[in-house]
Amino acid sequence: MKAERILMAHGSGGLMSQQLIDEIFKAAWSNEYLESMLDGALLDLPAGRIAMSTDSFVITPIFFPGGDIGKLSICGTINDLVACGARPLYLSVAMIIEEGLPLADLRRIAASMAQTAALAGVKLVTGDTKVVEKGSADGIFINTTGIGLIPAGIDYRPQQIREGDHIIVTGTMGDHGLSILAQREGLRFSTPVSSDCAPLYAIGRKLAPYKADIRCMRDPTRGGLATVLNEIAVQSNLGIIVRDKDIPVSPVVRGACDMLGMDPLYMANEGKMVIFTAPEKSAAVLETLHSIAECQAAAIIGELRAQPAGLVLITTELGAERILATLEGEHVPRIC
Amino acid sequence: MKAERILMAHGSGGLMSQQLIDEIFKAAWSNEYLESMLDGALLDLPAGRIAMSTDSFVITPIFFPGGDIGKLSICGTINDLVACGARPLYLSVAMIIEEGLPLADLRRIAASMAQTAALAGVKLVTGDTKVVEKGSADGIFINTTGIGLIPAGIDYRPQQIREGDHIIVTGTMGDHGLSILAQREGLRFSTPVSSDCAPLYAIGRKLAPYKADIRCMRDPTRGGLATVLNEIAVQSNLGIIVRDKDIPVSPVVRGACDMLGMDPLYMANEGKMVIFTAPEKSAAVLETLHSIAECQAAAIIGELRAQPAGLVLITTELGAERILATLEGEHVPRIC
């Protein structure tokens, strides 16, 4: 391609749009669906229940330690499908690109998307590209929408959660949020911090034997663990108690958050899941999670109680209880 | 809601995000899927073939004669699904909103989306909202991704097109493109121009009896009719001949295009379809189209030939033939 940067003509729908699609997207994502040359993808599905989930990604900066907006856009939608109990199968990709974006950046993003999708066994089956004038967007925004099959017997919903259920997090909290914040602000730590951005397809596969014991899953992205727990407390109409000392947070994230006056429980994660399970199976679920690379630090952090309905309590190391409130106002903007 | 404009906190994932969803989106689109409180929608589908299509909408201005970005975002994806031969069923909606957008605009857009979806019998089942700082986007960008069921026996693909097939357009060309251009440039005409933006679900339903006779459909959006014809000529490896006098163009669009030095065959349409049919059934298909409100001006405009393979020819009123080239460079930017 002659131009080294995105031009308005790349969004015209004409010759240059076609070249962009052929030389960057089809080259990176090649599969039989993309080759169909239709306005959409034709997919053969067995009868049953599917999950459909959508997310747009506006993160800044678009390249960060541990990932980039492309990898993130694949992980985000895969993880939402896994949270619904689905096996992720197909993703659509729609990009809004600012005039002037270097084509090298776009190639790098497309390659990262291909690699992450391949790892998770999902196919990028249909797409769309729009270009807006310089100053009308910020680099690149990516939407992915995914569909996945829900195996028989899986019904993960907050309404399934009961008094006494246990709460598991699959790893350390706050890594993504802190690493983005540190990069934006030019902060350096003795131990480098990196986003936890990862596609959690293995959680869905390995926990299949426990499908009757798992009540609900959520991935704690924007708003972090505190926001997920508050949503679930309201939606289940139960009380939640978590133990601060049991919530995994890496030393560097804890130290940096202390320094910045931030709470890692409100920081975004992009490779973690919160799992609500029957209490008698939580130890077995935890053991299974420990066999997954991304879930080495998984821990049981608390449980459901009848009271105080709709609220989240956290017990501190000193034994005091306080309310872990839902996020008010803004936290770290454009984190995903 | 206290704020009269979108704030960064509306994109935090916390309390204000939830209020925005509840008070604007759920209020407008209420259905059982949105109420599920999951990270995605759970949908029960029969076994078979589905189509999945995605489009982001970055049109400016966001309100225009004949529609708005909300209506357009529903029509665009519905029409892509219809072009694939699918009955549109479910749409996801993902919005990227610039800080400062008046909430009244967002309410108006949400209501317009609800109305268009209801008309077409599709449900808005899952969504996502991101907010970016003032100056990092231009008002609002909307992605819709849709899935639809393809009835047995339908296989619309450019590879199905054969020599001798007829080409039908379902109405006048260029209305959407010209109306957006006129509004942007402050042009006024003696007859007002209006976008043709419409959801073409009726075309899918009413043409069902002709499914074995229809080879392929395309909606001529960005790049217009000329771009669709060129794509099909290449993909079918056949030649296309169209007759200028048979292509419906309204007098005001023709007059305005002449004045502006633009060609209506390259102007975007948002409520039209190009249909390739077996020649022996084209008259019956045309008669059926004339029974649909949006297709009163439908016409047979040309046919497929063996030669010149991959090219589109147009015969002028004077009988001359010239090549109707594919769109090079940019045309009218941000038309959809």
Side-chain angles (χ1 to χ4, degrees):
Chain A
M1 207 170 300
K2 285 173 204 152
E4 294 303 311
R5 290 179 178 272
I6 286 286
L7 307 174
M8 289 304 291
H10 284 122
S12 66
L15 205 61
M16 288 188 68
S17 296
Q18 200 52 54
Q19 286 173 346
L20 187 76
I21 292 168
D22 288 346
E23 294 177 24
I24 296 195
F25 302 128
K26 281 193 185 169
W29 307 337
S30 176
N31 64 54
E32 67 273 31
Y33 304 99
L34 283 179
E35 294 303 324
S36 76
M37 305 178 293
L38 296 178
D39 287 341
L42 306 188
L43 310 169
D44 290 305
L45 292 181
R49 175 161 279 197
I50 68 162
M52 177 182 197
S53 187
T54 190
D55 250 323
S56 290
F57 297 86
V58 298
I59 192 168
T60 178
I62 58 177
F63 299 103
F64 50 83
D68 57 70
I69 192 170
K71 178 181 179 186
L72 181 65
S73 72
I74 303 295
C75 295
T77 291
I78 285 177
N79 295 350
D80 281 343
L81 291 172
V82 170
C84 290
R87 186 160 68 85
L89 291 177
Y90 303 113
L91 261 57
S92 63
V93 179
M95 296 187 174
I96 298 171
I97 310 176
E98 185 188 14
E99 181 187 16
L101 184 81
L103 289 184
D105 285 1
L106 195 57
R107 278 198 192 89
R108 189 172 156 198
I109 289 165
S112 173
M113 296 178 82
Q115 189 179 20
T116 310
L119 192 69
V122 305
K123 295 211 162 136
L124 310 182
V125 294
T126 190
D128 176 56
T129 310
K130 295 291 188 316
V131 178
V132 297
E133 307 86 346
K134 198 156 183 62
S136 291
D138 187 10
I140 182 169
F141 302 147
I142 303 180
N143 175 278
T144 56
T145 303
I147 60 180
L149 274 181
I150 301 183
I154 284 190
D155 183 16
Y156 299 163
R157 284 182 294 130
Q159 296 84 346
Q160 303 277 38
I161 297 174
R162 300 165 209 178
E163 188 182 343
D165 282 352
H166 285 180
I167 304 165
I168 296 173
V169 296
T170 64
T172 54
M173 293 287 103
D175 302 72
H176 178 75
L178 183 72
S179 70
I180 301 301
L181 191 65
Q183 194 188 2
R184 269 189 221 161
E185 305 296 329
L187 307 177
R188 289 174 179 274
F189 309 107
S190 51
T191 314
V193 290
S194 179
S195 168
D196 59 343
C197 180
L200 299 175
Y201 57 94
I203 289 181
R205 290 184 203 166
K206 293 226 175 177
L207 292 187
Y210 300 102
K211 63 188 179 189
D213 311 299
I214 292 171
R215 316 290 197 203
C216 181
M217 289 194 203
R218 281 286 161 89
D219 61 331
T221 57
R222 274 187 294 182
L225 177 65
T227 298
V228 162
L229 294 178
N230 274 281
E231 284 174 6
I232 293 292
V234 169
Q235 292 168 6
S236 67
N237 199 33
L238 291 169
I240 286 179
I241 180 101
V242 292
R243 295 169 296 271
D244 200 14
K245 71 174 174 52
D246 292 338
I247 301 173
V249 178
S250 79
V252 59
V253 169
R254 188 171 298 282
C257 281
D258 282 351
M259 189 182 80
L260 297 165
M262 305 199 74
D263 186 340
L265 305 191
Y266 291 91
M267 304 287 277
N269 308 278
E270 292 293 346
K272 301 290 156 53
M273 200 66 83
V274 187
I275 303 174
F276 300 81
T277 72
E280 62 275 16
K281 291 293 173 63
S282 61
V285 167
L286 189 66
E287 196 183 326
T288 304
L289 286 170
H290 286 156
S291 73
I292 300 171
E294 290 84 5
C295 306
Q296 296 301 306
I300 299 169
I301 62 163
E303 61 202 46
L304 278 292
R305 291 183 181 173
Q307 294 299 330
L311 288 181
V312 181
L313 299 178
I314 185 165
T315 54
T316 65
E317 302 239 6
L318 298 172
E321 273 186 6
R322 63 176 176 87
I323 288 177
L324 187 67
T326 196
L327 176 65
E328 289 190 56
E330 68 173 301
H331 199 243
V332 183
R334 296 184 58 189
I335 203 70
C336 60
Chain B
M1 206 170 299
K2 286 174 203 150
E4 294 302 311
R5 290 179 178 272
I6 286 286
L7 307 174
M8 289 304 290
H10 284 121
S12 66
L15 205 61
M16 288 188 67
S17 297
Q18 200 52 54
Q19 286 173 346
L20 187 75
I21 292 168
D22 289 346
E23 294 177 24
I24 296 195
F25 303 128
K26 282 194 185 169
W29 307 336
S30 177
N31 64 53
E32 67 272 31
Y33 305 100
L34 283 179
E35 294 303 326
S36 77
M37 305 178 292
L38 297 177
D39 287 341
L42 307 187
L43 310 169
D44 290 305
L45 292 181
R49 176 162 278 198
I50 68 162
M52 179 182 196
S53 186
T54 191
D55 249 322
S56 291
F57 297 85
V58 298
I59 192 168
T60 179
I62 59 177
F63 299 103
F64 50 84
D68 57 71
I69 192 171
K71 179 182 179 186
L72 181 66
S73 72
I74 303 295
C75 295
T77 291
I78 285 177
N79 295 349
D80 281 343
L81 291 172
V82 170
C84 290
R87 186 161 68 86
L89 291 177
Y90 303 113
L91 261 58
S92 63
V93 179
M95 296 188 174
I96 299 172
I97 310 176
E98 184 187 13
E99 181 186 15
L101 184 81
L103 290 184
D105 285 1
L106 195 58
R107 278 199 193 90
R108 189 172 155 197
I109 289 165
S112 173
M113 296 178 81
Q115 189 179 20
T116 311
L119 192 69
V122 306
K123 294 211 163 139
L124 310 182
V125 295
T126 190
D128 177 56
T129 310
K130 295 291 188 315
V131 178
V132 297
E133 307 85 347
K134 198 156 183 61
S136 291
D138 187 10
I140 182 169
F141 301 148
I142 303 180
N143 175 278
T144 56
T145 303
I147 60 181
L149 275 180
I150 301 183
I154 284 190
D155 184 16
Y156 299 162
R157 285 182 295 130
Q159 295 85 347
Q160 303 277 39
I161 297 173
R162 301 166 208 177
E163 187 182 342
D165 283 351
H166 286 179
I167 304 165
I168 297 174
V169 295
T170 64
T172 54
M173 293 288 103
D175 303 73
H176 178 75
L178 182 72
S179 71
I180 300 301
L181 191 65
Q183 195 189 1
R184 271 189 218 158
E185 306 296 330
L187 307 177
R188 288 174 180 273
F189 308 107
S190 51
T191 313
V193 290
S194 178
S195 167
D196 59 343
C197 180
L200 300 174
Y201 58 94
I203 289 182
R205 290 184 203 165
K206 293 226 174 176
L207 292 187
Y210 300 102
K211 63 189 178 189
D213 311 299
I214 293 172
R215 316 290 197 204
C216 181
M217 290 195 204
R218 280 288 161 90
D219 61 331
T221 57
R222 275 186 295 182
L225 176 65
T227 298
V228 162
L229 294 177
N230 274 282
E231 284 174 6
I232 293 291
V234 169
Q235 292 167 8
S236 66
N237 199 32
L238 291 168
I240 286 179
I241 179 100
V242 292
R243 297 169 295 271
D244 200 13
K245 70 174 174 55
D246 292 338
I247 301 173
V249 178
S250 79
V252 59
V253 169
R254 186 170 302 279
C257 281
D258 282 350
M259 190 182 79
L260 297 165
M262 305 198 75
D263 186 339
L265 304 190
Y266 291 90
M267 304 288 277
N269 309 279
E270 292 293 346
K272 300 291 157 50
M273 200 67 83
V274 188
I275 303 174
F276 300 82
T277 72
E280 62 276 16
K281 291 295 173 63
S282 62
V285 167
L286 188 66
E287 197 183 327
T288 304
L289 286 170
H290 285 155
S291 73
I292 300 172
E294 290 84 4
C295 306
Q296 297 300 307
I300 300 169
I301 63 163
E303 61 203 47
L304 278 293
R305 291 184 182 173
Q307 296 298 332
L311 288 181
V312 181
L313 299 178
I314 185 164
T315 53
T316 65
E317 302 237 7
L318 298 173
E321 273 186 6
R322 64 177 175 86
I323 288 177
L324 186 68
T326 197
L327 176 65
E328 289 190 55
E330 70 174 298
H331 198 244
V332 183
R334 296 184 58 191
I335 202 72
C336 60

